Amino acid sequence: MFRLWRGLKTVVQTSPANTHHYHTIQAIPRECTGSRISSRDRTQGRIPAVVFSQGLLEKNPSNRSPSRKQILTTERKQIRSIIKSVQPPFFCSTRFQLQIRAGSGSSVLLESGTIHRDEESGKILNLVFVWADEGTELKVDVPVVFKGLEDCPGLKKGGYFKVIRSSLKFQCPAEHIPQKIEVDVSKLDIDDRVLMHDIEVHPSMKLLSKNESMPICKIAPTYIENPEPIKV
């Protein structure tokens, strides 16, 4: 979707929601938990993981949904390959297919569901996922990607590009989670900025911000902070 904003011809685009799944994450159940068990899994090339409903994190107990919590392990080699293919930081805003099997090498499918990766701990020491079934409302941080810097007139005049927000938090159905939001700054002049409410997204997506008039980026004159002009 494209739209021209505030006469600046700043094109703001959200990438299409994840209508297909790039990878299927293979996992097997864990019967036991604990630091020793997790350490053993890591030495065997596996990553301890857990998957549950995001509603389990609600502070108000009455708002919590059934957890569907499952303790799992995944293959480190596969997770590294997925991260390399999807590219951070888009891993956190990409939906994946999950297959939970009876054991390593087993072809018996125990349960399958669509998930959205919610959080990663350290250097992939642990993985925490949330179920993202179609129609499920989720809160997600969507990365913001800026393009058109090489054509930006404000930068050519000696201004510098200041990123204020590198991601935006939305609440939306799992099937409408965009992998990223692209902001074209190729028409911005000095002192121009793009605000949160300048971004057009799917009608089902609700921006979780108390002040939607806050900028996510701007072209600032060099005399304010006097940094090195961006090289384009």
Side-chain angles (χ1 to χ4, degrees):
M1 291 181 285
F2 294 88
R3 184 171 175 181
L4 302 184
W5 299 104
R6 309 171 76 86
L8 298 177
K9 296 186 179 180
T10 301
V11 180
V12 181
Q13 176 188 9
T14 55
S15 64
N18 301 299
T19 55
H20 64 282
H21 309 285
Y22 295 94
H23 303 274
T24 296
I25 295 177
Q26 304 290 337
I28 59 175
R30 279 192 295 164
E31 295 183 359
C32 303
T33 60
S35 58
R36 291 185 178 180
I37 301 297
S38 296
S39 295
R40 184 193 64 188
D41 288 335
R42 295 185 190 106
T43 58
Q44 295 175 349
R46 304 194 63 82
I47 302 175
V50 61
V51 57
F52 53 80
S53 299
Q54 196 177 68
L56 188 64
L57 301 176
E58 290 286 346
K59 294 181 180 179
N60 187 342
S62 62
N63 294 333
R64 293 174 185 168
S65 58
S67 68
R68 292 175 62 197
K69 182 177 180 179
Q70 290 190 265
I71 309 298
L72 313 167
T73 64
T74 60
E75 292 186 11
R76 180 186 296 116
K77 185 181 295 185
Q78 187 199 27
I79 297 299
R80 285 180 174 175
S81 175
I82 291 174
I83 292 176
K84 183 178 180 179
S85 175
V86 175
Q87 298 181 357
F90 309 131
F91 188 56
C92 297
S93 54
T94 300
R95 297 169 69 216
F96 300 96
Q97 192 75 14
L98 173 69
Q99 289 185 339
I100 303 174
R101 298 181 177 273
S104 182
S106 171
S107 61
V108 180
L109 184 63
L110 294 182
E111 184 172 354
S112 179
T114 304
I115 64 174
H116 172 264
R117 201 209 70 123
D118 180 58
E119 185 179 347
E120 181 181 339
S121 174
K123 296 182 179 180
I124 323 181
L125 295 176
N126 304 283
L127 289 170
V128 180
F129 300 93
V130 296
W131 294 109
D133 302 308
E134 188 167 331
T136 302
E137 290 279 333
L138 295 176
K139 296 177 182 179
V140 57
D141 288 303
V142 181
V144 177
V145 177
F146 302 97
K147 63 180 184 179
L149 291 169
E150 65 279 4
D151 298 318
C152 179
L155 298 182
K156 291 181 178 180
K157 292 177 182 178
Y160 71 98
F161 183 66
K162 184 173 183 179
V163 176
I164 300 171
R165 293 291 296 269
S166 59
S167 67
L168 295 173
K169 192 163 191 173
F170 292 91
Q171 180 173 324
C172 64
E175 64 271 22
H176 292 150
I177 297 173
Q179 191 180 52
K180 60 184 176 182
I181 293 173
E182 291 186 340
V183 178
D184 189 338
V185 299
S186 61
K187 304 298 184 182
L188 294 184
D189 210 332
I190 290 178
D191 287 329
D192 286 344
R193 61 191 64 197
V194 179
L195 309 181
M196 289 185 186
H197 61 60
D198 287 343
I199 297 177
E200 185 181 66
V201 295
H202 190 276
S204 65
M205 296 180 64
K206 179 184 178 182
L207 180 63
L208 299 179
S209 174
K210 294 181 179 179
N211 184 1
E212 296 185 7
S213 296
M214 291 289 292
I216 61 174
C217 70
K218 67 178 182 179
I219 306 297
T222 55
Y223 60 76
I224 292 181
E225 296 180 10
N226 200 32
E228 290 289 332
I230 190 168
K231 296 180 180 179
V232 295

